[in-house]
Amino acid sequence: MKVFFGSPGNISGLLLRIGQCFFAAASIGVMVSAHGFYTSTAFCYLIASMGLEFLWSFGLACLDFHALRSKRSLQNPVLVSLFVVGDWVTATLSLAGACSSAGVAVLFSRDLGYCSKTFPCTRFQIGVAFAFISWFLLAISSLVMFWLLGAV
Amino acid sequence: MKVFFGSPGNISGLLLRIGQCFFAAASIGVMVSAHGFYTSTAFCYLIASMGLEFLWSFGLACLDFHALRSKRSLQNPVLVSLFVVGDWVTATLSLAGACSSAGVAVLFSRDLGYCSKTFPCTRFQIGVAFAFISWFLLAISSLVMFWLLGAV
């Protein structure tokens, strides 16, 4: 059993999962609090994909916590394969959500000049930034998992 | 040396690269021919990212073709590491371009109802669809390369 940075059942893995949960939740919170987010399908999709990422990362954080407490190893091939597939699907959907929302946010703020006090572009941008941070942390986990699958 | 589907210096690898080049070029062609694409930063970014993917895949297609003709193996660790980094960076940028443009295309056609004869949303949608196909083919290559790196 090899132990990499961010591998499951490890303290660094648990911290990565907590970071993903935190930023996904922050992104949803900022987006929902911005008036008029429902005008764009991309923003609604971002909230859905961040919701999925939150649930996935929260589940794995609980599993990591349990493994750390009971000092069990989570590195068996079937479990790692499951983590790899889940991580990659979630990471791709999160990146898709973050990028589509970024495209729309740039369109509103730079190209069309729609921003005003009643249509707060800054909030959209902060929400998208949080989504990108959350995706980046998930991408690190995904790469580690894929690497681990080759080594298990 | 292991030979997977889509590994470098292999006929399936060459076909994947040609497919990536073709769909990236088609996406650029359709986007540039659509009137008003320059109104959105996301569409301009899509053209830039598809241009990068075209250049990268064309270069690797030439290398595969050369390897096939001279019957050389391209599977040494340094070369495969280089392919992995290049493939992953290009695939991430392509997905980002395709998703941001998809977000803007959906906003124009569904949310804002901007589409008209002078602003052809169908072309944008076709361009985005080609970009997604091109990204999908590149994602297959990226996964194979990453797997190969663990096996080399």
Side-chain angles (χ1 to χ4, degrees):
Chain A
M1 296 297 165
K2 297 191 178 181
V3 176
F4 296 107
F5 170 83
S7 52
N10 197 355
I11 190 79
S12 54
L14 178 64
L15 288 177
L16 268 178
R17 297 292 173 192
I18 291 173
Q20 290 156 24
C21 283
F22 174 77
F23 284 106
S27 174
I28 295 174
V30 173
M31 270 294 170
V32 169
S33 72
H35 181 74
F37 76 90
Y38 44 80
T39 50
S40 165
T41 309
F43 292 154
C44 298
Y45 173 64
L46 178 73
I47 292 169
S49 67
M50 282 296 119
L52 176 74
E53 185 178 332
F54 178 81
L55 289 176
W56 172 256
S57 296
F58 185 74
L60 288 198
C62 290
L63 205 64
D64 278 349
F65 186 70
H66 173 72
L68 273 171
R69 268 194 61 183
S70 59
K71 294 191 179 169
R72 278 193 192 172
S73 171
L74 291 174
Q75 297 188 26
N76 74 64
V78 179
L79 216 54
V80 173
S81 309
L82 194 78
F83 292 160
V84 167
V85 174
D87 265 350
W88 279 99
V89 170
T90 320
T92 310
L93 293 178
S94 299
L95 180 64
C99 290
S100 55
S101 298
V104 173
V106 170
L107 185 86
F108 280 150
S109 60
R110 253 192 68 181
D111 305 330
L112 298 180
Y114 261 12
C115 302
S116 63
K117 273 193 178 174
T118 52
F119 200 74
C121 290
T122 321
R123 288 213 173 184
F124 297 144
Q125 288 161 354
I126 294 171
V128 169
F130 281 151
F132 271 113
I133 297 172
S134 180
W135 165 77
F136 181 72
L137 296 176
L138 188 56
I140 296 174
S141 286
S142 310
L143 280 174
V144 170
M145 289 292 177
F146 199 66
W147 195 257
L148 212 63
L149 187 66
V152 160
Chain B
M1 295 297 165
K2 297 191 178 180
V3 175
F4 296 106
F5 170 83
S7 52
N10 196 357
I11 191 79
S12 55
L14 178 64
L15 288 177
L16 269 178
R17 297 293 173 193
I18 291 172
Q20 289 157 23
C21 282
F22 174 77
F23 284 107
S27 174
I28 295 174
V30 173
M31 270 294 169
V32 169
S33 72
H35 181 74
F37 75 89
Y38 44 81
T39 49
S40 165
T41 309
F43 293 153
C44 298
Y45 173 63
L46 178 72
I47 292 171
S49 67
M50 284 295 121
L52 176 73
E53 185 179 332
F54 179 81
L55 289 176
W56 172 256
S57 295
F58 185 73
L60 287 199
C62 291
L63 206 65
D64 277 350
F65 186 71
H66 173 72
L68 273 171
R69 268 194 62 183
S70 60
K71 295 189 177 170
R72 279 194 191 171
S73 170
L74 290 175
Q75 296 188 25
N76 75 63
V78 180
L79 216 54
V80 173
S81 309
L82 194 78
F83 292 160
V84 166
V85 174
D87 265 352
W88 279 99
V89 171
T90 320
T92 309
L93 293 179
S94 299
L95 180 63
C99 290
S100 55
S101 299
V104 173
V106 169
L107 185 86
F108 280 149
S109 60
R110 253 192 69 180
D111 305 330
L112 299 180
Y114 261 8
C115 302
S116 62
K117 275 193 178 173
T118 50
F119 200 73
C121 289
T122 321
R123 288 212 173 185
F124 296 144
Q125 287 161 354
I126 295 171
V128 170
F130 281 151
F132 271 113
I133 298 172
S134 180
W135 164 76
F136 181 72
L137 296 174
L138 188 57
I140 296 174
S141 287
S142 311
L143 280 175
V144 170
M145 289 291 175
F146 199 66
W147 195 258
L148 211 63
L149 187 65
V152 159

